[in-house]
Amino acid sequence: MSLETGVCATAAAVRTGERSAVEVVQEALTRIAVRDGAINAFTTVTEERALTAATAVDAQRAAGRDPGPLAGVPFAVKNLYDIANIATVAGSHIDLDRAPASRDAALVRHLAEHGAVLVGALNMDEYAYGFSTENSHYGATRNPHDPARVAGGSSGGSAAAVAASVVPLALGSDTNGSIRVPAALCGVFGLRPTFGRLSRAGMRLFASSLDVGGPFARSVEDLAIAYDALQGADPDDAACTMRPPEPVTQILRQGLGGIRIAVATGYFSSQGVPDAFAAVERVAAALGASHRIEVPAAGLARAAAMIVTSVEGAELHLPDLIARGPEFDPMTRARFLAGALAPGAWYSHAQRLRRWYCQELTKLFRNVDVVLAPATPYPAFPIGQGLIDLGGQQLPAAGHLGVFTQPFSFAGLPTLAAPVAQTGSLPLGVQIVAAPWREDIAFRVAAAAEELGVLVSSPPIAS
Amino acid sequence: MAEPFDPALYVPQAAAALGLPLAPEDLGDVISAFAVLARVAGPVMAFPLPEELIAAAVFIPGERARG
């Protein structure tokens, strides 16, 4: 058995004693050493800590205690998550000067408390401001399906590490699509939970009214067990819900009975390549979903999300923009500086428009339970490509990747990004979008589609 | 009628108001990035909203002691 079997199988093997946690973690460390050179997903490997934690998991089992549902599962996190005793760099050089974190981020602690073992930190766009993980300081993360192409971003290291089967589980963050875009381009599952569902304590934020953390895995079941472990109220994050956890692992196989599924049309059926829309249609056909729905003002929502993001992101980094501007990544610097200069009325109006838009989507979810939409407008493009041609229009290749993700995150909706089977040589994904706090419905639809064979995380040929 | 907007005039002045230094080699890129933002903001600002609609982010005093 190897880590290719995923989160649940690995935990089961450790829990039954078929494998030791130390053996599993050593295998993950070997994979990092052997495979990461080709994809550049890892920025830090926490070998000593990992072996200590794995030894503790084995000792727990040996003492007859439950080592947890994620016993011995190696995982890694986007390098904006605090890891005790390591400076949290969030893809920057500037923050190498920061004091090491005093403790792990809340979500890292949750996974560790469930038996999972942290093996390292992962590459990202600087301060999460990007969709391609082309980081000038740490190098671009490469797509395991074609190392000449981007992994997507900003959680590109997380998606690539899972896609290349280096680890079965990783954490990323999503402000405008930073979990869903790389999940789609690397062909893995990724969850952006409802805004406020999971604690962000100990995460370096980017745009705090939009940011969420979430997991990546290679199957719906693996994503579900991780998501369940991540839940829990946290007074250390002012945005974190006080709702009790609503686990999904037990309801995955409840089927589609009563779930109304619609395909997003209009805005979500243009501005991309035909294959991206065909992938969504294949999922819809397999699920028997023929209903179409127009998401109102999706383009306006995306525009308002861009304003909110640029203003919140710039304000957060303003002291460094003033004192250390030249040390920002050239890939993010001009956008951060421009965001700092936006008139206040733009921001306030965008946040008021957001409330109107949320009300409109509440009406939409009276008639449907799930909306299907493409995750990205095209598959991974070559690293370094600045513009992309779409029907004669030249668009920023990285910036346009978020065209279909931003309208859903602006409303805080839970969205599961899933890899569609047989999309050709490069992966493409679908977004399964549900009403606020209804991750359970998105998971049920994903599980049904996976069982039908239309969603699958295919390993890269190179691995 | 308002003057046509020129980001090349606005950007250096707004940066000065914030005490934000702009390196000469960055100025062109920042002006371009601001022009993109201004283009994006156009339809957002043109979208009328009722006065009673409050911002999506709501402040609740005292709700979370440690937040």
Side-chain angles (χ1 to χ4, degrees):
Chain A
M1 183 180 291
S2 75
L3 294 181
E4 243 108 38
T5 50
V7 176
C8 293
T10 300
V14 171
R15 289 171 60 81
T16 57
E18 189 187 331
R19 301 189 74 195
S20 74
V22 167
E23 186 189 332
V24 168
V25 165
Q26 272 169 339
E27 185 176 294
L29 294 169
T30 302
R31 279 171 193 259
I32 296 171
V34 171
R35 294 186 182 178
D36 194 55
I39 57 171
N40 191 35
F42 280 78
T43 52
T44 304
V45 181
T46 54
E47 181 169 354
E48 194 182 327
R49 168 188 164 138
L51 290 170
T52 304
T55 303
V57 169
D58 288 334
Q60 259 189 306
R61 189 184 171 276
R65 292 196 299 272
D66 185 349
L70 299 176
V73 173
F75 75 102
V77 298
K78 188 175 187 176
N79 69 26
L80 55 65
Y81 283 84
D82 280 354
I83 298 173
N85 305 315
I86 292 174
T88 309
V89 294
S92 75
H93 255 190
I94 289 173
D95 290 346
L96 285 169
D97 293 351
R98 288 169 77 95
S102 58
R103 68 192 299 214
D104 291 343
L107 298 188
V108 176
R109 291 201 306 275
H110 284 322
L111 291 182
E113 284 158 6
H114 286 76
V117 176
L118 181 75
V119 296
L122 299 160
N123 201 13
M124 57 182 283
D125 291 284
E126 185 181 59
Y127 297 127
Y129 207 173
F131 283 127
S132 62
T133 315
E134 292 170 286
N135 185 308
S136 307
H137 308 305
Y138 302 95
T141 291
R142 297 175 174 277
N143 194 309
H145 291 266
D146 178 351
R149 292 173 187 269
V150 298
S154 62
S155 312
S158 310
V162 171
S165 295
V166 176
V167 283
L169 173 64
L171 294 182
S173 68
D174 188 312
T175 307
N176 284 302
S178 284
I179 287 174
R180 295 161 289 162
V181 166
L185 299 196
C186 289
V188 297
F189 293 86
L191 176 70
R192 178 190 161 98
T194 306
F195 178 80
R197 170 72 83 178
L198 304 182
S199 172
R200 305 173 303 179
M203 287 167 66
R204 289 302 301 290
L205 297 181
F206 168 29
S208 67
S209 76
L210 294 164
D211 294 332
V212 303
F216 292 83
R218 289 191 302 276
S219 73
V220 177
E221 190 183 30
D222 284 359
L223 197 72
I225 195 170
Y227 169 61
D228 285 355
L230 292 167
Q231 292 186 55
D234 187 350
D236 286 341
D237 175 4
C240 186
T241 183
M242 298 305 281
R243 288 165 175 255
E246 295 173 292
V248 297
T249 306
Q250 302 306 320
I251 56 92
L252 281 184
R253 308 292 166 208
Q254 282 185 352
L256 294 173
I259 297 180
R260 300 162 299 174
I261 304 171
V263 176
T265 183
Y267 177 92
F268 292 95
S269 56
S270 63
Q271 311 181 77
V273 300
D275 282 356
F277 308 119
V280 176
E281 292 299 338
R282 278 208 303 285
V283 177
L287 293 168
S290 55
H291 188 53
R292 311 272 139 174
I293 200 158
E294 183 105 29
V295 177
L300 206 56
R302 180 183 183 223
M306 289 166 77
I307 292 167
V308 169
T309 302
S310 60
V311 173
E312 290 186 6
E315 190 278 334
L316 196 65
H317 295 291
L318 191 56
D320 282 333
L321 287 168
I322 290 171
R324 308 177 68 171
E327 296 172 66
F328 277 73
D329 188 332
M331 298 293 285
T332 69
R333 191 189 306 150
R335 287 177 294 138
F336 271 123
L337 289 165
L341 310 179
W346 289 5
Y347 180 80
S348 287
H349 199 74
Q351 283 286 21
R352 293 208 305 124
L353 188 146
R354 188 180 188 186
R355 183 169 302 277
W356 170 82
Y357 177 67
C358 289
Q359 289 170 353
E360 292 299 304
L361 290 197
T362 300
K363 291 179 205 162
L364 180 148
F365 278 105
R366 285 184 196 138
N367 301 316
V368 300
D369 299 301
V370 155
V371 175
L372 302 179
T376 62
Y378 32 79
F381 54 80
I383 290 168
Q385 181 173 332
L387 295 171
I388 198 157
D389 185 291
L390 272 185
Q393 205 186 352
Q394 298 290 312
L395 295 163
H400 190 64
L401 275 174
V403 65
F404 299 137
T405 51
Q406 288 176 285
F408 297 122
S409 35
F410 195 54
L413 304 176
T415 304
L416 200 157
V420 181
Q422 297 169 336
T423 53
S425 59
L426 293 170
L428 278 164
V430 63
Q431 292 185 90
I432 301 169
V433 189
W437 312 109
R438 295 315 303 266
E439 284 87 346
D440 60 325
I441 293 179
F443 267 103
R444 276 171 62 192
V445 170
E450 185 185 43
E451 208 161 286
L452 291 163
V454 73
L455 298 182
V456 64
S457 181
S458 305
I461 294 158
S463 82
Chain B
M1 196 166 147
E3 294 271 316
F5 176 62
D6 184 351
L9 292 176
Y10 175 83
V11 162
Q13 287 299 306
L18 275 174
L20 180 64
L22 295 181
E25 62 270 26
D26 287 337
L27 187 60
D29 287 343
V30 178
I31 290 168
S32 299
F34 193 85
V36 169
L37 264 190
R39 210 162 45 238
V40 163
V44 172
M45 295 308 289
F47 190 80
L49 292 169
E51 217 175 276
E52 64 273 16
L53 204 69
I54 64 164
V58 176
F59 169 63
I60 303 171
E63 188 191 35
R64 306 283 168 82
R66 284 187 288 158

